[in-house]
Amino acid sequence: DVNRETYKDKPGNKVPASGSSSEPASGDPSLDPSYYDDLICRRMCKWILHLAAYNGESIIYALDTIDLGASAEAKLMEIPDNVSNKGRKLKVPVCTSELREVFRYLDKLTNVEFYQELLPVDTPWGKRQDPAIQKSWAEYAMHLMRKMLLLYPGDALCLTKAEEMLGAWKKESWSEVIACYKAINSSELLTPVFPVTEKQVKKHDDRIALQKEALSVIDKETASKYGAIAFQIQHSLRVSIIPNVPCSSGAASVLNSNSFFPVPTKNALPAETKMEPQAESAASGSSHSVVVQEGNAPRGVQLQ
């Protein structure tokens, strides 16, 4: 898993070069060999969340001292190096991985209760949080929704909620943006994380089968709509066009066609929207336009 391209390319997840010493390469603290231990720890911590849900157990999660906005954005933070005991190092805290996992499976991991100073509090993305923090989680919801549109282009619920999400984003209704993501029941699309019940597996299989069936008869107009919504979400977040977007192999034939991702033009965007330089390059059909890779799509907890 550590050699998966989509994982290696994430900030703070650079895999150490072969034969590297215990010293970080190129001055990047994330290249420490303890990276592998850290990855195993993250996977286990996230798995425990799913195990507790499977057993019907509650998890009490303390939010004291956690920067909730930084967690939503998966920021690198300076923390004590408990492995080498040599000062401090930059890394994405494990708590960040846990909170983002709960958010990704928002409809499933409902067994997590949040506390601060020994008192129950709202979720990190809840309505009672500071608007700036809520916006950070809304941005993550938009990012995840875009991935869902690319991975499951035949899923009608994703398309409907994505359109509603864009409307909520324009109104700066962050809680509504998050509610739209929760409403797609992401746990039914993401590969069920072991252990799972037979009912959960059946829901997943049925949902995937339904979207594949829809994909097989999808018309060009509907296909173009998926691509346009995905682009508008990306444009709203003001991020650069990401090349080589992975998708499910079953969707590759449709996604690779020009009809699915029409080259966006200024006229295709809302009148009040101003295009960023990155979006301008996409509109002109530059090398930054979206390309879809066939096969080896990130699934389950890999979709981060």
Side-chain angles (χ1 to χ4, degrees):
D1 189 52
V2 295
N3 292 315
R4 183 163 50 86
E5 289 300 324
T6 52
Y7 193 87
K8 287 193 295 183
D9 290 341
K10 291 182 180 179
N13 286 348
K14 301 300 181 183
V15 178
S18 178
S20 61
S21 66
S22 59
E23 294 298 319
S26 304
D28 185 350
S30 66
L31 291 173
D32 192 288
S34 62
Y35 161 88
Y36 297 104
D37 294 332
D38 180 68
L39 178 63
I40 292 171
C41 179
R42 289 176 193 279
R43 289 289 183 265
M44 287 301 296
C45 288
K46 290 191 284 190
W47 177 75
I48 288 172
L49 293 169
H50 292 275
L51 179 63
Y54 176 80
N55 291 329
E57 300 169 342
S58 295
I59 289 182
I60 305 299
Y61 204 104
L63 297 177
D64 302 75
T65 74
I66 296 179
D67 185 331
L68 300 180
S71 294
E73 298 168 24
K75 287 183 177 179
L76 286 168
M77 301 183 71
E78 189 179 82
I79 62 175
D81 187 347
N82 296 322
V83 177
S84 65
N85 293 319
K86 296 179 180 179
R88 304 173 71 83
K89 66 178 181 180
L90 285 172
K91 65 172 285 187
V92 175
V94 173
C95 289
T96 291
S97 294
E98 294 169 342
L99 291 177
R100 284 161 67 93
E101 182 76 355
V102 174
F103 190 85
R104 279 191 295 275
Y105 290 84
L106 207 51
D107 62 305
K108 175 189 175 185
L109 299 179
T110 57
N111 59 318
V112 183
E113 302 173 24
F114 296 98
Y115 278 71
Q116 198 161 5
E117 297 180 352
L118 303 179
L119 295 174
V121 294
D122 200 2
T123 62
W125 42 83
K127 294 181 180 180
R128 296 188 185 92
Q129 294 292 353
D130 182 277
I133 292 176
Q134 233 195 353
K135 182 183 179 182
S136 293
W137 287 102
E139 287 175 345
Y140 188 41
M142 292 270 281
H143 166 74
L144 292 172
M145 183 67 87
R146 176 181 171 274
K147 280 192 171 183
M148 292 297 185
L149 287 173
L150 298 178
L151 288 170
Y152 309 106
D155 195 274
L157 181 58
C158 280
L159 181 60
T160 299
K161 290 301 175 182
E163 291 180 294
E164 293 178 12
M165 179 182 275
L166 275 170
W169 179 268
K170 291 173 184 176
K171 295 187 298 183
E172 298 188 359
S173 178
W174 313 132
S175 59
E176 190 178 342
V177 169
I178 293 168
C180 286
Y181 173 72
K182 183 178 181 180
I184 68 170
N185 297 322
S186 59
S187 66
E188 295 177 5
L189 289 171
L190 301 173
T191 300
V193 178
F194 179 84
V196 292
T197 64
E198 290 184 8
K199 184 178 180 181
Q200 288 173 326
V201 172
K202 187 177 186 307
K203 277 187 175 182
H204 166 74
D205 291 346
D206 289 348
R207 182 89 176 264
I208 297 301
L210 189 64
Q211 80 92 24
K212 284 183 177 179
E213 182 182 348
L215 185 64
S216 66
V217 295
I218 197 169
D219 57 77
K220 289 186 177 181
E221 183 180 350
T222 304
S224 296
K225 196 172 185 180
Y226 277 93
I229 292 295
F231 175 80
Q232 286 184 54
I233 288 177
Q234 184 165 287
H235 176 75
S236 297
L237 294 176
R238 295 294 192 272
V239 296
S240 59
I241 300 298
I242 303 173
N244 300 327
V245 177
C247 76
S248 58
S249 57
S253 59
V254 173
L255 292 177
N256 279 324
S257 68
N258 292 332
S259 64
F260 190 87
F261 284 112
V263 177
T265 64
K266 293 180 181 179
N267 295 332
L269 294 170
E272 70 276 8
T273 304
K274 294 182 179 179
M275 297 187 73
E276 298 294 316
Q278 297 91 339
E280 286 281 5
S281 64
S284 61
S286 75
S287 59
H288 292 289
S289 57
V290 178
V291 178
V292 179
Q293 291 178 327
E294 181 173 356
N296 299 323
R299 303 299 297 275
V301 296
Q302 298 176 359
L303 184 63
Q304 298 177 8

